[in-house]
mmCIF file of all heavy atoms in Angstrom:
data_model
loop_
_atom_site.group_PDB
_atom_site.id
_atom_site.type_symbol
_atom_site.label_atom_id
_atom_site.label_comp_id
_atom_site.label_asym_id
_atom_site.label_seq_id
_atom_site.Cartn_x
_atom_site.Cartn_y
_atom_site.Cartn_z
ATOM 1 N N LEU C 323 -32.973 -64.180 -8.128
ATOM 2 C CA LEU C 323 -33.561 -64.546 -9.419
ATOM 3 C C LEU C 323 -34.768 -63.653 -9.702
ATOM 4 O O LEU C 323 -35.550 -63.344 -8.811
ATOM 5 C CB LEU C 323 -33.978 -66.017 -9.378
ATOM 6 C CG LEU C 323 -34.234 -66.709 -10.720
ATOM 7 C CD1 LEU C 323 -32.931 -66.816 -11.509
ATOM 8 C CD2 LEU C 323 -34.820 -68.101 -10.485
ATOM 9 N N ARG C 324 -34.903 -63.232 -10.929
ATOM 10 C CA ARG C 324 -36.067 -62.434 -11.344
ATOM 11 C C ARG C 324 -36.391 -62.752 -12.801
ATOM 12 O O ARG C 324 -35.576 -63.340 -13.519
ATOM 13 C CB ARG C 324 -35.822 -60.933 -11.147
ATOM 14 C CG ARG C 324 -34.988 -60.185 -12.161
ATOM 15 C CD ARG C 324 -33.522 -60.505 -12.137
ATOM 16 N NE ARG C 324 -32.919 -60.440 -10.828
ATOM 17 C CZ ARG C 324 -32.408 -59.328 -10.307
ATOM 18 N NH1 ARG C 324 -32.393 -58.224 -11.033
ATOM 19 N NH2 ARG C 324 -31.840 -59.353 -9.126
ATOM 20 N N GLU C 325 -37.572 -62.360 -13.285
ATOM 21 C CA GLU C 325 -37.995 -62.563 -14.670
ATOM 22 C C GLU C 325 -37.639 -61.336 -15.486
ATOM 23 O O GLU C 325 -37.932 -60.205 -15.091
ATOM 24 C CB GLU C 325 -39.506 -62.807 -14.743
ATOM 25 C CG GLU C 325 -39.981 -64.068 -14.043
ATOM 26 C CD GLU C 325 -39.649 -65.317 -14.857
ATOM 27 O OE1 GLU C 325 -39.717 -65.256 -16.099
ATOM 28 O OE2 GLU C 325 -39.316 -66.349 -14.236
ATOM 29 N N VAL C 326 -37.014 -61.582 -16.667
ATOM 30 C CA VAL C 326 -36.669 -60.468 -17.552
ATOM 31 C C VAL C 326 -37.089 -60.824 -18.970
ATOM 32 O O VAL C 326 -37.087 -62.003 -19.369
ATOM 33 C CB VAL C 326 -35.151 -60.170 -17.513
ATOM 34 C CG1 VAL C 326 -34.717 -59.748 -16.118
ATOM 35 C CG2 VAL C 326 -34.343 -61.366 -17.988
ATOM 36 N N PRO C 327 -37.469 -59.808 -19.764
ATOM 37 C CA PRO C 327 -37.842 -60.081 -21.159
ATOM 38 C C PRO C 327 -36.604 -60.391 -21.996
ATOM 39 O O PRO C 327 -35.557 -59.782 -21.809
ATOM 40 C CB PRO C 327 -38.513 -58.787 -21.595
ATOM 41 C CG PRO C 327 -37.927 -57.726 -20.717
ATOM 42 C CD PRO C 327 -37.646 -58.385 -19.415
ATOM 43 N N ALA C 328 -36.733 -61.328 -22.932
ATOM 44 C CA ALA C 328 -35.584 -61.717 -23.764
ATOM 45 C C ALA C 328 -36.043 -62.021 -25.182
ATOM 46 O O ALA C 328 -37.179 -62.454 -25.417
ATOM 47 C CB ALA C 328 -34.877 -62.933 -23.168
ATOM 48 N N CYS C 329 -35.145 -61.791 -26.138
ATOM 49 C CA CYS C 329 -35.418 -62.146 -27.526
ATOM 50 C C CYS C 329 -35.350 -63.670 -27.675
ATOM 51 O O CYS C 329 -34.882 -64.374 -26.769
ATOM 52 C CB CYS C 329 -34.414 -61.465 -28.452
ATOM 53 S SG CYS C 329 -32.717 -62.035 -28.211
ATOM 54 N N ALA C 330 -35.763 -64.184 -28.836
ATOM 55 C CA ALA C 330 -35.811 -65.641 -29.030
ATOM 56 C C ALA C 330 -34.437 -66.279 -28.839
ATOM 57 O O ALA C 330 -34.305 -67.333 -28.201
ATOM 58 C CB ALA C 330 -36.371 -65.959 -30.423
ATOM 59 N N ALA C 331 -33.392 -65.655 -29.393
ATOM 60 C CA ALA C 331 -32.051 -66.246 -29.296
ATOM 61 C C ALA C 331 -31.586 -66.305 -27.851
ATOM 62 O O ALA C 331 -31.008 -67.323 -27.407
ATOM 63 C CB ALA C 331 -31.072 -65.436 -30.140
ATOM 64 N N ASP C 332 -31.825 -65.246 -27.078
ATOM 65 C CA ASP C 332 -31.373 -65.239 -25.682
ATOM 66 C C ASP C 332 -32.243 -66.138 -24.820
ATOM 67 O O ASP C 332 -31.771 -66.678 -23.807
ATOM 68 C CB ASP C 332 -31.352 -63.812 -25.129
ATOM 69 C CG ASP C 332 -30.119 -63.028 -25.574
ATOM 70 O OD1 ASP C 332 -29.059 -63.664 -25.751
ATOM 71 O OD2 ASP C 332 -30.221 -61.804 -25.751
ATOM 72 N N VAL C 333 -33.512 -66.323 -25.186
ATOM 73 C CA VAL C 333 -34.347 -67.278 -24.469
ATOM 74 C C VAL C 333 -33.738 -68.666 -24.566
ATOM 75 O O VAL C 333 -33.604 -69.392 -23.578
ATOM 76 C CB VAL C 333 -35.785 -67.263 -25.016
ATOM 77 C CG1 VAL C 333 -36.573 -68.473 -24.481
ATOM 78 C CG2 VAL C 333 -36.506 -65.979 -24.647
ATOM 79 N N ASP C 334 -33.342 -69.047 -25.776
ATOM 80 C CA ASP C 334 -32.732 -70.368 -25.968
ATOM 81 C C ASP C 334 -31.437 -70.486 -25.163
ATOM 82 O O ASP C 334 -31.167 -71.525 -24.552
ATOM 83 C CB ASP C 334 -32.451 -70.598 -27.447
ATOM 84 C CG ASP C 334 -33.739 -70.733 -28.274
ATOM 85 O OD1 ASP C 334 -34.796 -71.019 -27.661
ATOM 86 O OD2 ASP C 334 -33.691 -70.524 -29.510
ATOM 87 N N ARG C 335 -30.630 -69.442 -25.168
ATOM 88 C CA ARG C 335 -29.356 -69.512 -24.451
ATOM 89 C C ARG C 335 -29.580 -69.673 -22.950
ATOM 90 O O ARG C 335 -28.926 -70.484 -22.288
ATOM 91 C CB ARG C 335 -28.530 -68.253 -24.731
ATOM 92 C CG ARG C 335 -28.078 -68.106 -26.174
ATOM 93 C CD ARG C 335 -27.133 -66.922 -26.335
ATOM 94 N NE ARG C 335 -26.797 -66.696 -27.739
ATOM 95 C CZ ARG C 335 -27.385 -65.795 -28.527
ATOM 96 N NH1 ARG C 335 -28.358 -65.049 -28.041
ATOM 97 N NH2 ARG C 335 -27.022 -65.676 -29.789
ATOM 98 N N VAL C 336 -30.468 -68.849 -22.387
ATOM 99 C CA VAL C 336 -30.704 -68.896 -20.948
ATOM 100 C C VAL C 336 -31.303 -70.230 -20.532
ATOM 101 O O VAL C 336 -30.874 -70.856 -19.549
ATOM 102 C CB VAL C 336 -31.617 -67.728 -20.519
ATOM 103 C CG1 VAL C 336 -32.036 -67.879 -19.063
ATOM 104 C CG2 VAL C 336 -30.917 -66.400 -20.711
ATOM 105 N N LEU C 337 -32.294 -70.705 -21.287
ATOM 106 C CA LEU C 337 -32.954 -71.948 -20.910
ATOM 107 C C LEU C 337 -32.049 -73.164 -21.085
ATOM 108 O O LEU C 337 -32.265 -74.202 -20.452
ATOM 109 C CB LEU C 337 -34.239 -72.121 -21.733
ATOM 110 C CG LEU C 337 -35.323 -71.064 -21.460
ATOM 111 C CD1 LEU C 337 -36.564 -71.350 -22.306
ATOM 112 C CD2 LEU C 337 -35.700 -71.041 -19.981
ATOM 113 N N SER C 338 -31.035 -73.026 -21.934
ATOM 114 C CA SER C 338 -30.084 -74.130 -22.122
ATOM 115 C C SER C 338 -28.869 -74.000 -21.198
ATOM 116 O O SER C 338 -27.906 -74.771 -21.319
ATOM 117 C CB SER C 338 -29.628 -74.186 -23.589
ATOM 118 O OG SER C 338 -28.927 -72.996 -23.937
ATOM 119 N N GLY C 339 -28.886 -73.006 -20.313
ATOM 120 C CA GLY C 339 -27.814 -72.844 -19.353
ATOM 121 C C GLY C 339 -26.651 -72.018 -19.851
ATOM 122 O O GLY C 339 -25.615 -71.936 -19.171
ATOM 123 N N GLU C 340 -26.768 -71.402 -21.001
ATOM 124 C CA GLU C 340 -25.703 -70.574 -21.530
ATOM 125 C C GLU C 340 -25.894 -69.112 -21.081
ATOM 126 O O GLU C 340 -26.955 -68.725 -20.612
ATOM 127 C CB GLU C 340 -25.680 -70.630 -23.060
ATOM 128 C CG GLU C 340 -25.451 -72.008 -23.634
ATOM 129 C CD GLU C 340 -25.504 -72.001 -25.155
ATOM 130 O OE1 GLU C 340 -25.261 -70.922 -25.741
ATOM 131 O OE2 GLU C 340 -25.800 -73.056 -25.743
ATOM 132 N N SER C 341 -24.862 -68.342 -21.270
ATOM 133 C CA SER C 341 -24.950 -66.919 -20.939
ATOM 134 C C SER C 341 -25.574 -66.160 -22.093
ATOM 135 O O SER C 341 -25.240 -66.416 -23.259
ATOM 136 C CB SER C 341 -23.560 -66.342 -20.656
ATOM 137 O OG SER C 341 -22.986 -66.960 -19.521
ATOM 138 N N PRO C 342 -26.472 -65.224 -21.810
ATOM 139 C CA PRO C 342 -27.061 -64.430 -22.893
ATOM 140 C C PRO C 342 -26.012 -63.503 -23.494
ATOM 141 O O PRO C 342 -24.966 -63.250 -22.896
ATOM 142 C CB PRO C 342 -28.165 -63.660 -22.186
ATOM 143 C CG PRO C 342 -27.695 -63.547 -20.763
ATOM 144 C CD PRO C 342 -26.948 -64.818 -20.479
ATOM 145 N N HIS C 343 -26.306 -62.984 -24.670
ATOM 146 C CA HIS C 343 -25.410 -62.035 -25.323
ATOM 147 C C HIS C 343 -25.728 -60.624 -24.798
ATOM 148 O O HIS C 343 -26.612 -59.944 -25.324
ATOM 149 C CB HIS C 343 -25.562 -62.103 -26.829
ATOM 150 C CG HIS C 343 -24.946 -63.341 -27.418
ATOM 151 N ND1 HIS C 343 -24.967 -63.610 -28.769
ATOM 152 C CD2 HIS C 343 -24.277 -64.374 -26.839
ATOM 153 C CE1 HIS C 343 -24.341 -64.760 -29.003
ATOM 154 N NE2 HIS C 343 -23.935 -65.243 -27.833
ATOM 155 N N ALA C 344 -25.033 -60.227 -23.762
ATOM 156 C CA ALA C 344 -25.320 -58.939 -23.121
ATOM 157 C C ALA C 344 -24.809 -57.776 -23.962
ATOM 158 O O ALA C 344 -23.823 -57.908 -24.701
ATOM 159 C CB ALA C 344 -24.674 -58.893 -21.732
ATOM 160 N N ARG C 345 -25.499 -56.653 -23.850
ATOM 161 C CA ARG C 345 -25.060 -55.430 -24.517
ATOM 162 C C ARG C 345 -23.884 -54.889 -23.725
ATOM 163 O O ARG C 345 -24.018 -54.433 -22.586
ATOM 164 C CB ARG C 345 -26.207 -54.403 -24.535
ATOM 165 C CG ARG C 345 -25.800 -53.023 -25.063
ATOM 166 C CD ARG C 345 -25.525 -53.065 -26.543
ATOM 167 N NE ARG C 345 -25.344 -51.725 -27.090
ATOM 168 C CZ ARG C 345 -24.187 -51.176 -27.399
ATOM 169 N NH1 ARG C 345 -23.057 -51.867 -27.212
ATOM 170 N NH2 ARG C 345 -24.136 -49.970 -27.928
ATOM 171 N N MET C 346 -22.702 -54.926 -24.315
ATOM 172 C CA MET C 346 -21.481 -54.459 -23.673
ATOM 173 C C MET C 346 -21.201 -53.019 -24.116
ATOM 174 O O MET C 346 -21.264 -52.708 -25.310
ATOM 175 C CB MET C 346 -20.311 -55.364 -24.039
ATOM 176 C CG MET C 346 -20.563 -56.844 -23.767
ATOM 177 S SD MET C 346 -20.792 -57.223 -22.011
ATOM 178 C CE MET C 346 -19.093 -57.066 -21.438
ATOM 179 N N VAL C 347 -20.919 -52.178 -23.133
ATOM 180 C CA VAL C 347 -20.692 -50.760 -23.430
ATOM 181 C C VAL C 347 -19.356 -50.333 -22.818
ATOM 182 O O VAL C 347 -18.884 -50.929 -21.846
ATOM 183 C CB VAL C 347 -21.840 -49.888 -22.878
ATOM 184 C CG1 VAL C 347 -23.157 -50.230 -23.560
ATOM 185 C CG2 VAL C 347 -21.954 -50.055 -21.362
ATOM 186 N N PRO C 348 -18.731 -49.274 -23.355
ATOM 187 C CA PRO C 348 -17.443 -48.823 -22.814
ATOM 188 C C PRO C 348 -17.618 -48.056 -21.506
ATOM 189 O O PRO C 348 -18.463 -47.168 -21.402
ATOM 190 C CB PRO C 348 -16.900 -47.918 -23.922
ATOM 191 C CG PRO C 348 -18.117 -47.418 -24.637
ATOM 192 C CD PRO C 348 -19.112 -48.539 -24.573
ATOM 193 N N VAL C 349 -16.784 -48.412 -20.524
ATOM 194 C CA VAL C 349 -16.782 -47.720 -19.228
ATOM 195 C C VAL C 349 -15.330 -47.619 -18.780
ATOM 196 O O VAL C 349 -14.689 -48.642 -18.518
ATOM 197 C CB VAL C 349 -17.607 -48.477 -18.163
ATOM 198 C CG1 VAL C 349 -17.565 -47.707 -16.834
ATOM 199 C CG2 VAL C 349 -19.040 -48.664 -18.620
ATOM 200 N N ASP C 350 -14.809 -46.386 -18.715
ATOM 201 C CA ASP C 350 -13.424 -46.158 -18.293
ATOM 202 C C ASP C 350 -12.441 -46.991 -19.097
ATOM 203 O O ASP C 350 -11.486 -47.578 -18.566
ATOM 204 C CB ASP C 350 -13.251 -46.453 -16.802
ATOM 205 C CG ASP C 350 -14.076 -45.530 -15.920
ATOM 206 O OD1 ASP C 350 -14.333 -44.391 -16.345
ATOM 207 O OD2 ASP C 350 -14.456 -45.956 -14.808
ATOM 208 N N GLY C 351 -12.696 -47.074 -20.377
ATOM 209 C CA GLY C 351 -11.776 -47.790 -21.252
ATOM 210 C C GLY C 351 -11.999 -49.284 -21.310
ATOM 211 O O GLY C 351 -11.267 -49.994 -22.022
ATOM 212 N N MET C 352 -12.963 -49.811 -20.553
ATOM 213 C CA MET C 352 -13.282 -51.242 -20.580
ATOM 214 C C MET C 352 -14.738 -51.411 -21.017
ATOM 215 O O MET C 352 -15.495 -50.446 -21.062
ATOM 216 C CB MET C 352 -13.063 -51.857 -19.187
ATOM 217 C CG MET C 352 -11.646 -51.689 -18.654
ATOM 218 S SD MET C 352 -11.480 -52.285 -16.951
ATOM 219 C CE MET C 352 -11.886 -54.019 -17.173
ATOM 220 N N ARG C 353 -15.124 -52.649 -21.333
ATOM 221 C CA ARG C 353 -16.503 -52.901 -21.742
ATOM 222 C C ARG C 353 -17.153 -53.820 -20.723
ATOM 223 O O ARG C 353 -16.568 -54.796 -20.263
ATOM 224 C CB ARG C 353 -16.550 -53.520 -23.145
ATOM 225 C CG ARG C 353 -15.985 -52.586 -24.217
ATOM 226 C CD ARG C 353 -16.204 -53.135 -25.610
ATOM 227 N NE ARG C 353 -17.570 -52.990 -26.071
ATOM 228 C CZ ARG C 353 -18.044 -51.899 -26.684
ATOM 229 N NH1 ARG C 353 -17.262 -50.841 -26.899
ATOM 230 N NH2 ARG C 353 -19.303 -51.862 -27.088
#
Side-chain angles (χ1 to χ4, degrees):
L323 197 66
R324 79 289 310 272
E325 296 285 324
V326 298
C329 65
D332 281 328
V333 167
D334 292 340
R335 294 187 185 98
V336 172
L337 295 181
S338 63
E340 299 177 24
S341 297
H343 286 180
R345 173 70 171 103
M346 307 296 286
V347 296
V349 180
D350 297 332
M352 302 174 62
R353 297 187 76 87

